[in-house]
CSV table of all heavy atoms in Angstrom, one decimal:
chain,number,residue,atom,x,y,z
A,169,GLY,N,-19.2,10.6,16.1
A,169,GLY,CA,-19.3,11.0,17.5
A,169,GLY,C,-20.0,12.3,17.7
A,169,GLY,O,-20.7,12.4,18.7
A,170,ALA,N,-19.7,13.3,16.9
A,170,ALA,CA,-20.3,14.6,17.1
A,170,ALA,C,-21.8,14.5,16.8
A,170,ALA,O,-22.6,15.1,17.6
A,170,ALA,CB,-19.7,15.6,16.1
A,171,ILE,N,-22.2,13.7,15.8
A,171,ILE,CA,-23.7,13.6,15.5
A,171,ILE,C,-24.4,12.9,16.7
A,171,ILE,O,-25.5,13.3,17.1
A,171,ILE,CB,-23.9,12.9,14.2
A,171,ILE,CG1,-23.4,13.8,13.0
A,171,ILE,CG2,-25.3,12.5,14.0
A,171,ILE,CD1,-23.3,13.1,11.7
A,172,ILE,N,-23.8,11.8,17.1
A,172,ILE,CA,-24.5,11.0,18.2
A,172,ILE,C,-24.5,11.9,19.5
A,172,ILE,O,-25.5,11.8,20.3
A,172,ILE,CB,-23.8,9.7,18.4
A,172,ILE,CG1,-24.8,8.7,19.1
A,172,ILE,CG2,-22.5,9.8,19.3
A,172,ILE,CD1,-25.9,8.2,18.3
A,173,GLY,N,-23.5,12.7,19.7
A,173,GLY,CA,-23.5,13.6,20.9
A,173,GLY,C,-24.6,14.6,20.8
A,173,GLY,O,-25.3,14.8,21.9
A,174,VAL,N,-24.9,15.1,19.7
A,174,VAL,CA,-26.0,16.1,19.5
A,174,VAL,C,-27.3,15.4,19.6
A,174,VAL,O,-28.2,15.9,20.3
A,174,VAL,CB,-25.9,16.8,18.1
A,174,VAL,CG1,-27.1,17.6,17.9
A,174,VAL,CG2,-24.6,17.6,18.0
A,175,VAL,N,-27.5,14.2,19.0
A,175,VAL,CA,-28.7,13.5,19.1
A,175,VAL,C,-29.1,13.1,20.5
A,175,VAL,O,-30.3,13.1,20.9
A,175,VAL,CB,-28.6,12.2,18.2
A,175,VAL,CG1,-29.8,11.3,18.4
A,175,VAL,CG2,-28.6,12.6,16.7
A,176,LEU,N,-28.1,12.7,21.3
A,176,LEU,CA,-28.3,12.2,22.6
A,176,LEU,C,-28.5,13.3,23.7
A,176,LEU,O,-28.9,13.1,24.8
A,176,LEU,CB,-27.2,11.2,23.1
A,176,LEU,CG,-27.1,9.9,22.3
A,176,LEU,CD1,-26.0,9.1,22.9
A,176,LEU,CD2,-28.4,9.1,22.5
A,177,ASP,N,-28.2,14.6,23.3
A,177,ASP,CA,-28.2,15.7,24.2
A,177,ASP,C,-28.7,16.9,23.5
A,177,ASP,O,-28.1,18.0,23.5
A,177,ASP,CB,-26.8,15.9,24.8
A,177,ASP,CG,-26.9,16.7,26.1
A,177,ASP,OD1,-28.0,17.0,26.6
A,177,ASP,OD2,-25.8,17.1,26.6
A,178,THR,N,-29.9,16.8,22.9
A,178,THR,CA,-30.4,17.9,22.1
A,178,THR,C,-30.6,19.2,22.9
A,178,THR,O,-30.4,20.3,22.4
A,178,THR,CB,-31.7,17.5,21.3
A,178,THR,OG1,-32.6,17.0,22.3
A,178,THR,CG2,-31.4,16.4,20.3
A,179,ASP,N,-31.1,19.1,24.1
A,179,ASP,CA,-31.4,20.3,24.9
A,179,ASP,C,-30.1,21.2,25.1
A,179,ASP,O,-30.2,22.4,25.0
A,179,ASP,CB,-31.9,19.9,26.3
A,179,ASP,CG,-33.3,19.3,26.2
A,179,ASP,OD1,-34.0,19.5,25.1
A,179,ASP,OD2,-33.7,18.5,27.1
A,180,THR,N,-29.0,20.5,25.3
A,180,THR,CA,-27.8,21.3,25.5
A,180,THR,C,-27.3,22.0,24.3
A,180,THR,O,-26.9,23.2,24.3
A,180,THR,CB,-26.6,20.3,26.0
A,180,THR,OG1,-27.0,19.7,27.2
A,180,THR,CG2,-25.3,21.1,26.2
A,181,TYR,N,-27.5,21.4,23.1
A,181,TYR,CA,-27.0,21.9,21.9
A,181,TYR,C,-28.0,22.9,21.2
A,181,TYR,O,-27.5,23.9,20.6
A,181,TYR,CB,-26.7,20.8,20.9
A,181,TYR,CG,-25.5,20.0,21.2
A,181,TYR,CD1,-25.6,18.9,22.0
A,181,TYR,CD2,-24.2,20.4,20.9
A,181,TYR,CE1,-24.5,18.1,22.4
A,181,TYR,CE2,-23.1,19.7,21.2
A,181,TYR,CZ,-23.2,18.6,22.0
A,181,TYR,OH,-22.1,17.9,22.4
A,182,PHE,N,-29.2,22.7,21.4
A,182,PHE,CA,-30.2,23.6,20.7
A,182,PHE,C,-30.9,24.6,21.7
A,182,PHE,O,-31.8,25.3,21.3
A,182,PHE,CB,-31.3,22.8,20.0
A,182,PHE,CG,-30.8,21.9,18.9
A,182,PHE,CD1,-30.5,20.6,19.1
A,182,PHE,CD2,-30.5,22.5,17.7
A,182,PHE,CE1,-30.0,19.8,18.0
A,182,PHE,CE2,-30.0,21.8,16.6
A,182,PHE,CZ,-29.8,20.4,16.8
A,183,GLY,N,-30.4,24.6,22.9
A,183,GLY,CA,-31.1,25.4,23.9
A,183,GLY,C,-30.5,26.8,24.1
A,183,GLY,O,-31.0,27.6,24.8
A,184,GLY,N,-29.4,27.1,23.4
A,184,GLY,CA,-28.7,28.4,23.6
A,184,GLY,C,-28.3,29.2,22.4
A,184,GLY,O,-27.4,30.0,22.4
A,185,GLY,N,-29.0,28.9,21.3
A,185,GLY,CA,-28.7,29.7,20.1
A,185,GLY,C,-27.7,29.0,19.2
A,185,GLY,O,-27.1,28.0,19.5
A,186,PHE,N,-27.4,29.6,18.0
A,186,PHE,CA,-26.5,29.1,17.0
A,186,PHE,C,-25.1,28.9,17.5
A,186,PHE,O,-24.5,27.9,17.3
A,186,PHE,CB,-26.6,29.9,15.8
A,186,PHE,CG,-25.6,29.4,14.7
A,186,PHE,CD1,-25.9,28.3,14.0
A,186,PHE,CD2,-24.4,30.1,14.4
A,186,PHE,CE1,-25.0,27.8,13.0
A,186,PHE,CE2,-23.5,29.6,13.5
A,186,PHE,CZ,-23.8,28.5,12.8
A,187,LEU,N,-24.5,29.9,18.2
A,187,LEU,CA,-23.2,29.8,18.6
A,187,LEU,C,-23.0,28.7,19.7
A,187,LEU,O,-21.9,28.0,19.7
A,187,LEU,CB,-22.7,31.2,19.2
A,187,LEU,CG,-22.4,32.3,18.2
A,187,LEU,CD1,-22.0,33.6,18.9
A,187,LEU,CD2,-21.4,31.9,17.2
A,188,ASN,N,-23.9,28.6,20.5
A,188,ASN,CA,-23.9,27.5,21.5
A,188,ASN,C,-23.8,26.1,20.8
A,188,ASN,O,-23.0,25.2,21.1
A,188,ASN,CB,-25.1,27.5,22.4
A,188,ASN,CG,-25.1,26.4,23.4
A,188,ASN,OD1,-24.4,26.4,24.4
A,188,ASN,ND2,-26.0,25.4,23.2
Side-chain angles (χ1 to χ4, degrees):
I171 291 169
I172 202 71
V174 171
V175 169
L176 294 178
D177 198 7
T178 53
D179 291 341
T180 299
Y181 289 91
F182 294 103
F186 175 74
L187 286 179
N188 178 72

